[in-house]
Amino acid sequence: MPLSRALARHQTPAILIVLLAIIACLSLVGQSDALQVTLTEMFIRVVVVVGLYVFIGNSGIISFGQIGFMCIGAYAAAWATGEPTFKQIMLQGLPVFLQEAQYPFLVAMAGAMVLPAAVALILGFAIMRLAGTAASIATFAFLIIVNSVYSNWDSVTAGVSSIIGIPTVVGPWTAYVFAAVAIVVAYLFQVSRIGLMLRASRDDEVAARASAVHVLRVRLAAFVLSAALCGLGGGLYAQFLGILTVDPFYLSLSFITLAMLVVGGMFSLTGAVVGVVVVTAVVEILRALERGVGLGDTAFSLPSGSQEIGLGVVMALILIFRPSGLARGKEFRLFRAAPAAPAASAAEPALQLSESPTSAR
Amino acid sequence: MIQPYVEPQARTIDRSRTNAATLEVEGLSVLFQGLAAISDVSLTVNRHEVFGLIGPNGAGKTTLVNCLTGFQRPTSGRILLGGDDTSGWPAARFRERGVARTFQAGRLFKDMSVSENVEVTGTGLGLGLRSAREHARALLDWVGLSDKAQLPAGALAYTDQRRLGIARSLVLSPAFILLDEPAAGMSDAECEDLNELVAAIPQLFTCGVLLIEHNMRVVMGISHRIHVLDGGKTIAEGTPEEIQRHEAVLAAYLGMDA
């Protein structure tokens, strides 16, 4: 039964995708706008946080800059799909092929991946040479640079005013499909040759180099793929909101997405996805409590700002009691893949990558 | 008994780049902020031999191995691999061209499985995942770790970690393997086992071995030639018998005046 064996072997992404599908079904239950918005944002964040994971989780280098790639992706999508009349008046610095045409959604998403990936390729050549903390600081600088370029390059980004009239075609289900795609892509990367070499360099860079791993190259590959996924998240976000400014793509989004990755556990794909779901749930519950709930006759509400404080408390508790995150570097596995018979195993390698403990520092 | 090693096929790998016959060090010096860790050392390791490198602590043995594998830039002097000048090569290139090494501290990929530890080298050298896994299986068989292939490497016993380090560096039969104190901290019986393993490498893998070792019994037992460093300088080179009688060597080790 090749199908069931394939499923057993690749159960981690399958389980994650099913889990998200169940959550997506919530959008059918309650038709409230707030719920649709929450779910859509959550799935977009899955794309972004899975993008963060591709680089941070596999390389072990914290990057604060990936939201910069999200910003680049969002603007790329806006340039591709925005109203030509608006673009010709407000965004006169754009090349003509963007100014005068309006491209379909999928083309825009492709652009939202390619542009950040290209930037990451160039930037990565410089940053990947740095080690550890220095690389992290450089990525943070990149975030600041993107923010100031995009808020001042008036002729292309409309500066601090917003780009309007972007078709809003992204709802919960569209966002879900892209979240599933992101999970599959991240998984395939993780179990690939490059993923293996990159995780080796995370464990011990010196030993990886002695094992013929060109550490800079494999890191760069992950950085570029991560940028593409974060850019995709940005593109989806632009086509979800319909209106775009630079503001959301800065510190608070950087920190909340990193918080999601840390809470879930940054060394497994499961951790990345679970982190988004758990943090979103915590934030939504606190937000609801801030609005107030009726308990019999008395209305009870938390003071505004409890949402941020509550999230901070959750993060602190995780860091104290489960420093490697909820997933502890493990992947979801419901059943073990059948061990291949020794004779047949050469032709049919069981998936050893995710069976082994990916990491638990 | 050491069993024979049968290397799985690897059709995509070009062997002509990794068949250097000699690894030569010519007048090598390394200065750390003016302090000489190695001064003017020359030696040649041939394929098919076990070449012992000994010396008291701080003699510069590990620094020399770091130079020979791209982890330390020499201040002056050259390293030639099969006649090719290696200056400027990154560490990964040394391994690609057939110079492998192990580390004193083991440096395994602790969070990865035993098998993956070996697969990394295979993929680094250009094998596909499946092929890398076959090579890992064959090598783990050879060092006697195949039953532990799926354990995390960090869970291995100390001696097994050493064996894994050796397995990892033998993927695709390098031209030279540099073993940095593989027997450190082992009991006499464990040393015997390791001795056998190391002594079999030149034949089975057509590979030269440069062996750094403190344990005199190990080095004297399996080396064909021995090079002695003290304070970063060469004080002797010769067969084990010659070295055991060499006055400067005795002085360096026993603190006698030569």
Side-chain angles (χ1 to χ4, degrees):
Chain A
M1 297 247 273
L3 180 68
S4 68
R5 195 179 296 146
L7 261 181
R9 199 189 293 170
H10 304 298
Q11 55 182 297
T12 300
I15 294 169
L16 292 173
I17 288 169
V18 169
L19 179 90
L20 290 185
I22 295 168
I23 297 172
C25 288
L26 285 176
S27 71
L28 304 174
V29 183
Q31 282 296 327
S32 79
D33 280 354
L35 183 65
Q36 307 289 332
V37 168
T38 303
L39 286 174
T40 311
E41 279 191 338
M42 188 187 83
F43 289 132
I44 292 173
R45 282 181 182 179
V46 169
V47 175
V48 174
V49 175
V50 165
L52 290 181
Y53 163 75
V54 164
F55 179 68
I56 297 176
N58 291 306
S59 77
I61 300 169
I62 305 279
S63 169
F64 297 102
Q66 306 311 87
I67 296 304
F69 294 120
M70 189 184 176
C71 179
I72 294 173
Y75 274 86
W79 293 333
T81 61
E83 280 281 334
T85 46
F86 175 83
K87 288 191 282 195
Q88 278 159 359
I89 297 165
M90 294 292 293
L91 309 177
Q92 289 173 351
L94 281 183
V96 176
F97 77 97
L98 284 174
Q99 262 190 49
E100 291 182 348
Q102 204 171 8
Y103 294 93
F105 172 59
L106 288 178
V107 175
M109 291 307 105
M113 294 173 79
V114 170
L115 189 59
V119 174
L121 186 64
I122 296 163
L123 177 76
F125 261 114
I127 290 187
M128 295 305 117
R129 291 179 182 280
L130 303 172
T133 319
S136 300
I137 293 170
T139 58
F140 190 62
F142 168 72
L143 176 69
I144 297 171
I145 291 167
V146 169
N147 187 268
S148 56
V149 168
Y150 274 65
S151 31
N152 291 296
W153 197 358
D154 292 358
S155 64
V156 173
T157 65
V160 287
S161 54
S162 28
I163 294 182
I164 53 169
I166 306 162
T168 52
V169 295
V170 175
W173 287 101
T174 316
Y176 164 74
V177 169
F178 280 95
V181 169
I183 288 169
V184 170
V185 168
Y187 176 76
L188 290 177
F189 178 77
Q190 171 175 319
V191 299
S192 71
R193 295 174 64 232
I194 297 177
L196 179 72
M197 290 190 265
L198 187 59
R199 285 184 297 123
S201 79
R202 182 188 79 195
D203 263 19
D204 192 318
E205 185 182 336
V206 168
R209 287 161 60 202
S211 302
V213 174
H214 288 271
V215 173
L216 195 142
R217 281 186 218 164
V218 291
R219 277 188 189 155
L220 188 60
F223 195 62
V224 169
L225 181 61
S226 168
L229 287 174
C230 291
L232 175 65
L236 292 168
Y237 195 57
Q239 296 229 272
F240 158 65
L241 288 179
I243 176 169
L244 193 59
T245 63
V246 185
D247 298 342
F249 306 104
Y250 207 38
L251 297 178
S252 65
L253 189 59
S254 292
F255 288 126
I256 199 157
T257 47
L258 276 174
M260 287 167 163
L261 191 58
V262 169
V263 166
M266 62 171 83
F267 294 130
S268 73
L269 181 56
T270 302
V273 176
V274 167
V276 177
V277 174
V278 168
V279 169
T280 304
V282 169
V283 167
E284 287 308 314
I285 290 167
L286 290 169
R287 211 179 261 171
L289 289 177
E290 273 181 19
R291 280 196 300 270
V293 284
L295 284 173
D297 296 339
T298 52
F300 162 80
S301 76
L302 291 173
S304 65
S306 337
Q307 180 201 325
E308 283 79 4
I309 292 171
L311 188 61
V313 170
V314 169
M315 263 200 81
L317 290 176
I318 293 278
L319 288 174
I320 292 165
F321 293 109
R322 253 181 121 126
S324 45
L326 293 172
R328 283 193 172 142
K330 302 276 196 300
E331 299 289 7
F332 265 142
R333 299 188 74 81
L334 290 179
F335 41 92
R336 290 186 63 82
S345 52
E348 200 144 341
L351 189 74
Q352 293 160 346
L353 289 175
S354 52
E355 255 176 17
S356 64
T358 322
S359 139
R361 307 204 147 175
Chain B
M1 263 321 286
I2 298 296
Q3 44 172 324
Y5 173 70
V6 182
E7 188 174 282
Q9 285 202 335
R11 263 163 291 137
T12 54
I13 301 297
D14 176 13
R15 305 275 179 175
S16 65
R17 295 178 66 226
T18 57
N19 61 3
T22 54
L23 180 59
E24 292 164 81
V25 175
E26 282 184 4
L28 194 82
S29 297
V30 177
L31 300 176
F32 291 126
Q33 284 154 12
L35 204 69
I38 295 182
S39 28
D40 197 23
V41 168
S42 297
L43 54 84
T44 302
V45 187
N46 298 307
R47 219 160 159 179
H48 314 299
E49 73 174 344
V50 177
F51 186 92
L53 180 63
I54 64 173
N57 283 326
K61 305 182 296 284
T62 297
T63 307
L64 182 59
V65 166
N66 285 343
C67 289
L68 284 168
T69 48
F71 286 98
Q72 173 69 50
R73 289 272 139 88
T75 312
S76 63
R78 292 198 306 169
I79 293 166
L80 302 172
L81 176 62
D84 291 347
D85 192 342
T86 64
S87 48
W89 285 12
R93 170 95 64 88
F94 274 91
R95 182 61 186 88
E96 285 171 339
R97 294 291 300 271
V99 183
R101 72 172 292 180
T102 64
F103 293 93
Q104 232 177 82
R107 284 193 173 271
L108 299 178
F109 307 121
K110 290 195 177 56
D111 295 336
M112 299 169 80
S113 74
V114 169
S115 176
E116 282 177 309
N117 265 266
V118 186
E119 288 164 30
V120 169
T121 309
T123 54
L125 292 172
L127 293 177
L129 273 180
R130 185 174 292 198
S131 181
R133 219 167 275 150
E134 280 173 43
H135 283 257
R137 190 176 292 123
L139 278 165
L140 290 175
D141 245 357
W142 187 70
V143 298
L145 287 175
S146 46
D147 53 330
K148 297 173 178 135
Q150 296 312 315
L151 292 179
L156 286 183
Y158 190 71
T159 52
D160 286 345
Q161 293 195 11
R162 291 300 162 86
R163 285 168 178 272
L164 178 53
I166 292 172
R168 184 170 73 171
S169 51
L170 282 173
V171 176
L172 286 167
S173 306
F176 296 95
I177 176 172
L178 319 185
L179 302 172
D180 197 350
E181 297 199 26
M186 287 189 179
S187 72
D188 282 354
E190 289 162 347
C191 279
E192 288 295 319
D193 291 348
L194 190 84
N195 255 350
E196 271 192 82
L197 202 70
V198 172
I201 291 176
Q203 277 269 302
L204 292 179
F205 296 86
T206 54
C207 166
V209 176
L210 186 147
L211 176 67
I212 293 187
E213 192 50 74
H214 266 307
N215 188 323
M216 283 302 142
R217 280 183 48 201
V218 173
V219 186
M220 295 298 170
I222 60 178
S223 301
H224 301 109
R225 287 190 299 143
I226 293 175
H227 190 100
V228 190
L229 290 179
D230 187 21
K233 294 191 185 72
T234 299
I235 56 172
E237 185 179 307
T239 62
E241 297 72 39
E242 289 165 1
I243 295 299
Q244 274 166 327
R245 291 193 307 263
H246 200 285
E247 280 185 7
V249 177
L250 295 176
Y253 270 90
L254 302 175
M256 299 188 301
D257 287 323

